[in-house]
Amino acid sequence: MIYPNNFEQKIGFNEIRTLLRERCLSTLGKEQVDLMEFSTDTEQVNRWLAEVREFRLIQEGTEPFPLDNVFDVRESVARIRLEGTYMEEGELFDLKRSMETIIAVVRFLSMGDELPNGDINHTYPALYALSDGVATFPLLVQRISQIIDKFGKMRDTASPDLLQIRRELARMEGSISRTLNSILRLAQSEGVVERDVTPTLRDGRLVIPVAPGMKRKISGIVHDESATGKTVFIEPTEVVEANNKVRELENEERKEIIRILREFAKQVRPNVREILDSYHFLALIDFVRAKAELARTFKAIEPKVGAEPHVDFIRAIHPLLQLSLSRKQRTAENNDVPLAVVPLDIQITKEKRLLIISGPNAGGKSVCLKTIGLLQYMLQCGLSIPVDERSMVGMFKNLMIDIGDEQSIENDLSTYSSHLMNMKNMMKQANPYTLILIDEFGTGTEPQIGGAIAESVLKQFWKKQAWAVITTHYQNLKHFAEDHKGVANGAMLYDRHEMRPLFQLAIGRQVVRLP
């Protein structure tokens, strides 16, 4: 369970989705980004992370991954389920190239060492599992290559009739061109048209540009006039019939192309379902590639995820904050001093399920809270996280957060009332598999009342053995840990000599001011 509904917005996960979408090669992968969701299945999450880990190994290898042409032609393929429908030449061209990509990717992921019993020890087992059972259609690809050329146009040799039609077209167009040039040279010699004039096309017919005052000098049909009115375009009488024949041949050509496309659609139609399934595989590969690219951007890793709740982030970094600082670094005039996020060491264990963090304002408490929420959520969505390899991570069934001003004009709720509503929902859902994140616990009302209510809520979390990270200024909450087993105090360090926060979390103590 994720609470509240805008959980992703509160922790910044919407920005993570945007960054992932930007790294996808097509709408196929972007669609998977939109479908990505939080999972409580440990095996599934580890499988997702293994796919990313393997793809990163591929990227670091010497053999290029064959993901050159990724096109989303699912709509075109699905359309030809209906009898008589067909795919246009450009759509077939994209189908051919993307199906070639699918064939190449499946072949790449099928690589491995043969075992004594004849089985294959696949080099990338998690990615191979995605490709296992995916149908490829080399014969269809071969047939498309026979009818579509390397520029995506119908080949002359796609059928004997098309070849004959195009030969006749070429003959007629050549004849028209010679006749026009002959008429043009005569007109130029008589001063009817300028010396630099050449035949041009208007409405698909070859014509001669002539000044309006000279149009009666050439016998023929006026087809058009320039925008300025200084030129008219005449089709000489000698080529009218030939141009009509060209039009007829062009119509015959189009009819033959459509016939060929319909015939090919008949070959594709029985395989539509399997082809669409193969594009789902291509979408997953595009998605995994985007995740690997994002991991590289964040300098993130894919840790092994344990089935039980556990948080032991070593040198954890808020990825969006680091990305923002990196961008500022690139645009700053003086970038001699690198801008970087201070890594956090955050540990919550079965023995210390509740962590209460205190510290000065603007000392990094909220960033610490959001870092925990974002990284845990990213992890359970199958994304790499920027932590040290020594980090230990686990799974939670529920993630809940209360941060920021929740005042609702529509529901006439004050800020504090909305916080109390959140506390009520959290207490109701809290259990040993719940991670609760609360910023500035109990604020928004008179300190004594707020502190008492916050302590009462905290006790309920403690009784239900929920996991929680809570930031607060209340002294009674800081003292709560001393009287309750399983609760730890933490503080954001502060340098009193420099009078500045250090943005470092120290667990097991209250606010620490360095001497």
Side-chain angles (χ1 to χ4, degrees):
M1 174 185 176
I2 299 300
Y3 179 86
N5 291 333
N6 61 346
F7 183 94
E8 290 192 359
Q9 177 184 340
K10 283 186 169 296
I11 63 171
F13 194 76
N14 290 344
E15 288 86 344
I16 297 292
R17 283 192 194 271
T18 299
L19 291 170
L20 264 178
R21 285 177 59 86
E22 290 171 354
R23 284 157 176 78
C24 290
L25 300 174
S26 75
T27 54
L28 289 162
K30 292 176 182 178
E31 186 178 284
Q32 293 301 309
V33 173
D34 295 338
L35 294 172
M36 177 177 59
E37 59 184 15
F38 176 86
S39 174
T40 58
D41 184 334
T42 308
E43 288 187 9
Q44 177 68 77
V45 170
N46 277 315
R47 190 158 53 245
W48 286 338
L49 294 173
E51 292 164 3
V52 180
R53 191 181 303 117
E54 290 179 2
F55 203 95
R56 295 181 72 183
L57 286 174
I58 292 172
Q59 290 177 321
E60 293 165 6
T62 56
E63 189 170 355
F65 191 71
L67 207 59
D68 298 324
N69 294 299
V70 181
F71 302 102
D72 185 0
V73 293
R74 293 172 299 174
E75 185 178 335
S76 304
V77 172
R79 187 180 68 236
I80 64 170
R81 284 191 176 115
L82 296 174
E83 290 289 337
T85 56
Y86 58 91
M87 296 174 68
E88 294 288 354
E89 294 157 274
E91 294 172 329
L92 271 192
F93 189 44
D94 288 345
L95 177 66
K96 169 183 172 289
R97 290 183 291 168
S98 51
M99 288 178 73
E100 285 174 338
T101 296
I102 293 170
I103 291 170
V105 170
V106 170
R107 186 185 301 121
F108 185 100
L109 298 179
S110 298
M111 293 188 307
D113 301 320
E114 187 172 352
L115 300 174
N117 63 359
D119 292 338
I120 301 295
N121 181 27
H122 295 286
T123 310
Y124 307 106
L127 291 172
Y128 171 75
L130 294 179
S131 69
D132 192 19
V134 172
T136 58
F137 300 90
L139 293 180
L140 288 180
V141 171
Q142 183 181 1
R143 176 55 185 152
I144 296 175
S145 297
Q146 290 171 351
I147 62 177
I148 301 292
D149 65 19
K150 63 181 180 180
F151 304 108
K153 301 300 181 182
M154 185 71 71
R155 291 182 184 275
D156 294 349
T157 55
S159 77
D161 287 349
L162 184 63
L163 180 61
Q164 183 178 344
I165 291 168
R166 285 185 171 175
R167 282 177 174 172
E168 181 64 13
L169 255 175
R171 189 186 68 77
M172 291 298 300
E173 286 171 347
S175 173
I176 292 171
S177 180
R178 287 190 296 273
T179 302
L180 271 182
N181 282 322
S182 175
I183 295 171
L184 185 59
R185 283 193 298 271
L186 179 61
Q188 287 171 336
S189 66
E190 294 176 352
V192 177
V193 297
E194 300 291 334
R195 288 286 177 184
D196 59 348
V197 167
T198 58
T200 187
L201 273 175
R202 275 295 186 271
D203 297 327
R205 304 174 81 91
L206 277 169
V207 294
I208 297 175
V210 181
M214 296 290 185
K215 65 182 180 181
R216 298 189 183 279
K217 300 286 185 178
I218 296 178
S219 175
I221 301 170
V222 176
H223 276 281
D224 200 0
E225 184 178 283
S226 67
T228 60
K230 294 181 179 179
T231 305
V232 293
F233 299 93
I234 298 176
E235 180 184 18
T237 304
E238 294 90 331
V239 298
V240 170
E241 191 61 35
N243 268 331
N244 288 340
K245 179 62 176 176
V246 166
R247 282 293 181 91
E248 291 174 11
L249 287 170
E250 286 173 345
N251 288 334
E252 288 180 25
E253 178 190 32
R254 180 58 186 163
K255 288 178 183 178
E256 179 59 14
I257 288 173
I258 291 174
R259 187 195 69 77
I260 294 168
L261 294 175
R262 281 182 173 148
E263 284 300 311
F264 178 75
K266 290 179 182 178
Q267 298 176 45
V268 177
R269 195 164 289 122
N271 304 298
V272 165
R273 181 187 293 270
E274 290 82 1
I275 291 173
L276 293 177
D277 286 343
S278 72
Y279 275 87
H280 177 66
F281 162 70
L282 192 57
L284 292 177
I285 293 297
D286 189 13
F287 179 42
V288 172
R289 177 196 165 279
K291 291 198 283 187
E293 289 291 329
L294 191 65
R296 183 159 55 182
T297 300
F298 289 156
K299 297 181 175 62
I301 67 165
E302 301 79 40
K304 183 72 175 177
V305 183
E308 294 299 314
H310 191 82
V311 176
D312 186 4
F313 293 151
I314 299 173
R315 297 189 64 78
I317 289 176
H318 193 294
L320 297 175
L321 181 56
Q322 181 60 60
L323 189 62
S324 175
L325 290 177
S326 297
R327 287 169 177 166
K328 288 180 181 178
Q329 180 80 19
R330 289 194 294 270
T331 57
E333 293 183 7
N334 180 10
N335 56 4
D336 294 335
V337 180
L339 301 173
V341 177
V342 177
L344 294 168
D345 292 340
I346 306 162
Q347 187 179 61
I348 319 171
T349 66
K350 271 189 176 180
E351 291 71 33
K352 296 290 183 180
R353 294 172 180 264
L354 301 180
L355 175 60
I356 301 171
I357 302 175
S358 56
N361 290 329
K365 299 192 302 298
S366 296
V367 170
C368 177
L369 198 76
K370 289 183 178 180
T371 300
I372 298 169
L374 179 58
L375 295 193
Q376 188 64 40
Y377 193 76
M378 286 175 64
L379 187 74
Q380 293 191 229
C381 286
L383 298 178
S384 314
I385 59 174
V387 296
D388 189 272
E389 291 181 353
R390 296 168 295 162
S391 300
M392 304 285 289
V393 296
M395 296 281 287
F396 292 91
K397 292 184 179 178
N398 305 315
L399 290 185
M400 302 181 176
I401 195 168
D402 181 69
I403 187 171
D405 189 345
E406 292 290 339
Q407 186 165 353
S408 169
I409 297 175
E410 181 182 350
N411 296 323
D412 196 26
L413 290 177
S414 69
T415 299
Y416 190 66
S417 297
S418 64
H419 285 313
L420 286 178
M421 188 71 71
N422 285 340
M423 296 307 108
K424 177 183 176 182
N425 288 323
M426 288 177 174
M427 285 189 291
K428 184 178 179 181
Q429 299 294 335
N431 61 41
Y433 295 91
T434 300
L435 176 60
I436 297 169
L437 306 169
I438 303 175
D439 194 29
E440 298 297 350
F441 195 23
T443 55
T445 188
E446 197 277 324
Q448 287 185 340
I449 297 174
I453 293 175
E455 184 173 342
S456 177
V457 172
L458 182 59
K459 195 165 187 177
Q460 289 300 311
F461 294 157
W462 176 76
K463 284 182 178 179
K464 292 194 170 190
Q465 298 185 330
W467 301 59
V469 180
I470 293 166
T471 70
T472 187
H473 288 295
Y474 287 128
Q475 286 296 327
N476 63 313
L477 298 186
K478 300 171 190 177
H479 295 314
F480 188 88
E482 300 170 8
D483 305 323
H484 295 81
K485 185 179 179 181
V487 186
N489 273 317
M492 303 306 296
L493 298 181
Y494 187 82
D495 188 333
R496 67 182 181 183
H497 288 307
E498 297 287 336
M499 298 296 290
R500 64 182 180 86
L502 299 176
F503 304 107
Q504 295 176 2
L505 174 64
I507 297 177
R509 65 187 86 174
Q510 294 185 21
V511 178
V512 176
R513 300 181 185 274
L514 297 184

